[in-house]
Amino acid sequence: MKKLTNKEKEIMELYWQHGPMFVRELQEHYSEPRPHFNTLSTMVRLLEKNGFLGHKQYGNTYQYYATISEAEYGRSSLAGIIRSYFNNSYVSAVSAFVKEEKISVDDLRQLIETIEKGRE
């Protein structure tokens, strides 16, 4: 799955928070100065082309909706990071967190417990 740019992620977060919207409604969620309607419309169409949004047609206008949840995007992003930076090894990723003291031994024990409970 393609990684979202900051602007694309900002738009997707609005769709994840507010649900289906027309571009005009999307524009109203921005504070002044708001992005131009045509700019948002172009970005929304690109997000649709890349599979992040779908649309439902109402006359000559479209209401867009997220086709992927925020959680699904987060999981795919994490998998991409592990694939790209840790040679597709989750053990290497966790080891890096341990070495940099970003995760404690107690956190690791809790993680192991969660994994073992999930296998039962």
Side-chain angles (χ1 to χ4, degrees):
M1 175 178 300
K2 180 185 176 292
K3 185 178 186 289
L4 295 170
T5 66
N6 289 339
K7 292 291 182 188
E8 290 172 332
K9 189 168 186 283
E10 187 177 284
I11 291 171
M12 288 304 300
E13 285 172 350
L14 289 170
Y15 277 100
W16 289 325
Q17 291 170 11
H18 301 286
M21 290 183 284
F22 296 96
V23 175
R24 184 75 59 207
E25 293 171 314
L26 173 66
Q27 187 182 34
E28 291 171 7
H29 288 287
Y30 285 88
S31 57
E32 294 292 341
R34 291 184 170 119
H36 193 274
F37 177 87
N38 290 344
T39 301
L40 284 178
S41 182
T42 298
M43 292 185 75
V44 164
R45 285 194 313 273
L46 284 171
L47 285 165
E48 182 179 32
K49 180 181 174 190
N50 290 323
F52 291 98
L53 294 175
H55 76 266
K56 186 172 181 183
Q57 187 169 356
Y58 292 94
N60 62 350
T61 189
Y62 298 103
Q63 183 183 50
Y64 294 90
Y65 57 90
T67 58
I68 180 171
S69 73
E70 189 170 13
E72 290 170 319
Y73 178 71
R75 283 191 298 273
S76 71
S77 296
L78 178 59
I81 289 168
I82 291 172
R83 186 174 44 256
S84 298
Y85 297 102
F86 297 100
N87 200 25
N88 210 27
S89 169
Y90 286 81
V91 172
S92 294
V94 172
S95 294
F97 286 117
V98 170
K99 287 176 187 170
E100 293 181 20
E101 298 180 3
K102 303 288 185 190
I103 188 169
S104 69
V105 173
D106 288 337
D107 290 338
L108 282 173
R109 285 187 185 112
Q110 185 179 2
L111 181 60
I112 291 167
E113 284 178 27
T114 302
I115 292 168
E116 288 174 344
K117 286 180 185 175
R119 290 183 178 171
E120 293 175 357

